[in-house]
Amino acid sequence: MALWGGIEAGGTKFVCAVGTAPDKLSAEIRIPTTTPDETLGQVVEFFQQQQALHGEIEAIGIGAFGPVDVNPDSSKFGWFLNTPKPGWQQVDFVGLVKRELGVRVGFDTDVNAAALGEHRWGNAQGIENFIYLTVGTGIGGGGMIGGKLIHGLLHPEMGHILIPHDRSADPFPGSCPFHQNCLEGLASGFAMEKRWGQKGVSLPADHPAWALEARYLAVGLVNYIFTLSPQRIILGGGVMEQKQLFPMVREQVLEQLGSYLDVPAITQNIDSYIVPPGLGSHAGLAGAFALALAMAE
Amino acid sequence: MALWGGIEAGGTKFVCAVGTAPDKLSAEIRIPTTTPDETLGQVVEFFQQQQALHGEIEAIGIGAFGPVDVNPDSSKFGWFLNTPKPGWQQVDFVGLVKRELGVRVGFDTDVNAAALGEHRWGNAQGIENFIYLTVGTGIGGGGMIGGKLIHGLLHPEMGHILIPHDRSADPFPGSCPFHQNCLEGLASGFAMEKRWGQKGVSLPADHPAWALEARYLAVGLVNYIFTLSPQRIILGGGVMEQKQLFPMVREQVLEQLGSYLDVPAITQNIDSYIVPPGLGSHAGLAGAFALALAMAE
């Protein structure tokens, strides 16, 4: 059976794997994200070893942290652009992988990759318009419109939308270096840690942090709903592993829509409208595989 | 030459026209929006007269105020849904037009129709990802992603996104009956009139109202940019006929993006990134024609 590769290129670590399917891996490695030379060197080495062991890899799919150039017609397709991550600006990621490994490469943002994985194997099967939002250290969003991954001038940076911030209820100024109190600045895992002085995971389930978090996330979702009218919203990422958040977010979304959108798919089925990833924390790597498979279709 | 029909179905008036192209009209009529029976009766009568005079109309395109059902697979396709407009809830608009006139009907929201018109003849020619926002009595948005009009569960209701509202700088509570201080509640023509006690058109160009208006609109645009990454934004509607707003909105968009998106198409070409409709106030009716033409393609 044909062998495929996937790279989940995150700001903290790169997960690389080969296999015949995302749930049939023959090898997997986690590489810390340090410098491009070091990290990408280890990525190339891993796949070269796999090629030596197993022969040809059909294609490698990459889901990467951004901003990246995802326009196949651009001279910088597959490059990291002006990411705040030191040393990673203007690095030709896809070019390196193609050159060193001699394979076809599918490439998109980490969140669009996860969205594609969910579309193929997870909670967005058969759904043509949906959003995949990850709430982790940062907040990022991708998804599909009309059955195609959302691209445009660049790609969505959904975490950075500007939202109401009631400073009397929440005096924390926000943690985004660019916009201070955008959604990411108020509701990312990093923001939670800055606001409460400890990681979200260490806060008890009845801590007021979660009600505040649910309110901010709900405002974000309401804005995406009004802008895109998605048929489903998938919420992944480390913060969303606090499962008590789901019912709180759903309730807040209904409240903040303010009876304007009387659509049964939302008002009567909110539990199946806002859902976790069907692939759990594997959505990202599975999505990278889906990008690889798409190269052969 | 083939004859086409267009209906721009607005909350204040319906504009109906027939012609061989949107700039080659043989007849046009404006009908006040009163009750469905009265208004739609006059619409049907106009087109029946045209059919009696000129023979067959190939297709009629309709761009309608919302919310409407734009899903061709739905049993309520072409219906007005739970619009706040008294008497217009659950009215089968497209069914009536088809039945009474025996023609094919293309149907979408007023803003998606205008977007299609701009794509075909205006300022979005050759652009596959863009937003058309109308800032008038209300605020509505449509557009294209990947060359297709944005649809989803329903259709976008972009005017209702929730945005920061500094009540010390702007104590006006907002005018939206559903969300009070959403974008529409703070920046529509109706909100301006409520806030300042007079219509926007009567405020001088150097009135502080315009700087505030530009700030709110810019927050909205920044949120759409982060969510959709459009290649261009077209701003139409009565409020945007105050041409002094364009440079103010552009400046505010750059400021509020906060250097995050270093994309030359925005940062170096903002004047061609945020533009008025190429078709001016004809975008809506032209868009209805484009919907009719699309029925034959």
Side-chain angles (χ1 to χ4, degrees), chain A residues 147-163:
Chain A
K148 294 200 285 190
L149 292 171
I150 308 176
H151 293 144
L153 194 56
L154 197 63
H155 51 72
E157 285 285 349
M158 295 191 191
H160 292 280
I161 61 169
L162 306 171
I163 60 166

Side-chain angles (χ1 to χ4, degrees), chain A residues 61-131:
Chain A
I62 301 175
F65 69 87
V68 281
D69 190 332
V70 293
N71 175 3
D73 299 327
S74 163
S75 62
K76 290 194 172 179
F77 174 68
W79 290 45
F80 289 103
L81 300 176
N82 287 332
T83 165
K85 205 162 180 58
W88 287 82
Q89 297 88 353
Q90 307 297 328
V91 170
D92 178 11
F93 187 8
V94 166
L96 176 85
V97 172
K98 278 187 178 169
R99 200 167 55 242
E100 296 293 325
L101 300 172
V103 295
R104 289 174 296 181
V105 176
F107 183 73
D108 215 309
T109 61
D110 45 5
V111 276
N112 262 351
L116 189 63
E118 287 291 313
H119 185 67
R120 189 153 189 148
W121 298 294
N123 277 340
Q125 293 178 61
I127 299 184
E128 301 245 299
N129 301 280
F130 69 95
I131 286 172

Side-chain angles (χ1 to χ4, degrees), chain A residues 153 157 162 223 226 229 257, chain B residues 153 157 162 179 223 226 229:
Chain A
L153 194 56
E157 285 285 349
L162 306 171
N223 283 0
F226 281 136
S229 196
L257 281 173
Chain B
L153 194 57
E157 285 284 349
L162 306 171
H179 317 102
N223 283 1
F226 281 137
S229 197

